[in-house]
Amino acid sequence: MTQQHSSYDVVIIGGAIYGSSVAWWLTQMSGFQGRILVVEKDPTYEFAGTSHTNSCIRQQFSNKVNIGVSQFGAEFIKNFQRLMGDDPDVPELLLQSYGYMYMADTPEFADTLRQSQKVQESLGAGTKFMTADEIAEKYPFYMLDDILGANHNLIDEGYFDGGTMFDWFKRMARKNGVEYLADEVVGITRAGNSITGVTLKSGGDVACGTVVNASGTRGALTARMAGLDIPIEPRKRYTYIFDAAHPLDRDLPLTIDPSGVHMRTDGRYYLAGGPPDDDPAVAHDDFNADHSLWENKFWPIIATRIPQFEEIKLINMWVGHYDFNTLDQNAIVGPHPEVENFMFINGFSGHGLQQAPALGRGLAERIAYGAYRTLDLTPFYVDRVLRGEKFLEKAVI
């Protein structure tokens, strides 16, 4: 299989949630008629971060830009069918708003949550700071001896079907004329401060006007082919599905324990996850699991925080990868300041699925019009990375 043309206005490297979001949004940009090619090395997406996501969304960030990005994400989910052009084949997406419960066990952490709550409330988010007594009254199953308070929000926070959203980004992009190619970009041709084309593993070169790096954990490798660099590396994240001998009598919010372990309702079961204690960069194809972590780390924390979970049965588990931005764990979006037709959309560090609607739209605007027209995404620019200036976000999970 080869591409239909020798030249494209936009070549997108990576066809998972971000490549497909950018591709679809480009087809929605008024006046943009360019040819779009998405090159994906593994069209099964077996090891893509998109396929291992927990599909959660929250407004509980400390930075206004991240809050606004997720607020649009929630609106996109709730109005998915309409925003996909009222196509009768497009399903409605359900946002299960059982909320986040972001717990603090120190006065400093509690003060940080209070400050973040004020920022979130000022932007219309429904976050409330709760004392330990207020938490106990509403959710009596928690052990709260060490908890000083928590932020909680039951409005537009929780779980959605990220797999379906991804599937329809891809389907509708194709329907609107985007070409998907099962191949791998192994080289990028650069003439001075401009990208002129890409080289495919199957052989041959494809000319392009703009290239988009939507390569997930391989984002740094893609950038290096153009002589550029970003601080992205794969980091393992564990997810567990378990059954409880004594189920809770109400939904479990997505609870972020001060240890960094999180847990939530997942249908009739429960989901938990987090990082390993030792969290180095790993090989892009290393999905091997340390099975001792369940007994030695995750289950003890879960059972301590919720004593009803002392008797639980592990149903399933998997290892996924964060495309971890080692500078500040936030997105890198937009053009390189010197090579302006090389576009980044990388480094989400666990925020990817919920941010895909807004950031895909934003980058499509930047490509089509040369500027952002809705949300101002300039704080995510690569310039900050090159200067070593961190995007300040206190609520990183």
Side-chain angles (χ1 to χ4, degrees), residues 70-234:
S70 282
Q71 287 177 322
F72 176 73
E75 288 303 309
F76 187 83
I77 293 163
K78 292 188 297 181
N79 297 281
F80 187 62
Q81 192 175 58
R82 176 177 63 80
L83 291 169
M84 282 276 169
D86 283 320
D87 189 307
D89 292 332
V90 176
E92 292 186 1
L93 288 184
L94 175 65
L95 202 172
Q96 299 180 1
S97 294
Y98 44 63
Y100 275 59
M101 180 72 73
Y102 212 133
M103 293 181 166
D105 61 349
T106 67
E108 294 78 14
F109 194 4
D111 285 344
T112 296
L113 289 182
R114 287 189 181 95
Q115 292 166 16
S116 296
Q117 186 274 333
K118 291 177 182 177
V119 176
Q120 294 154 22
E121 186 178 45
S122 74
L123 296 175
T127 313
K128 306 295 182 186
F129 181 84
M130 301 175 71
T131 66
D133 287 343
E134 289 170 334
I135 299 168
E137 182 178 355
K138 192 163 185 177
Y139 298 100
F141 46 74
Y142 288 122
M143 190 287 291
L144 298 168
D145 292 355
D146 60 332
I147 298 301
L148 301 181
N151 277 354
H152 185 38
N153 179 8
L154 286 171
I155 302 170
D156 294 343
E157 284 200 343
Y159 166 83
F160 69 101
D161 186 350
T164 295
M165 185 171 76
F166 164 51
D167 183 47
W168 283 94
F169 271 145
K170 190 163 81 270
R171 288 191 192 197
M172 296 303 280
R174 281 192 170 119
K175 182 177 180 180
N176 294 342
V178 174
E179 185 180 343
Y180 277 68
L181 179 67
D183 209 324
E184 182 178 357
V185 172
V186 294
I188 296 175
T189 305
R190 176 176 164 182
N193 289 334
S194 182
I195 303 301
T196 58
V198 301
T199 300
L200 301 175
K201 187 175 184 178
S202 61
D205 298 318
V206 178
C208 64
T210 297
V211 66
V212 176
N213 180 356
S215 307
T217 60
R218 296 176 181 269
L221 303 180
T222 297
R224 285 172 200 150
M225 286 190 282
L228 307 173
D229 193 34
I230 49 173
I232 304 299
E233 60 188 33

Side-chain angles (χ1 to χ4, degrees), residues 213 250 384:
N213 180 356
R250 63 203 76 186
R384 80 178 196 278

Side-chain angles (χ1 to χ4, degrees), residues 7 61 228 278 281 362:
S7 176
F61 290 94
L228 307 173
D278 184 23

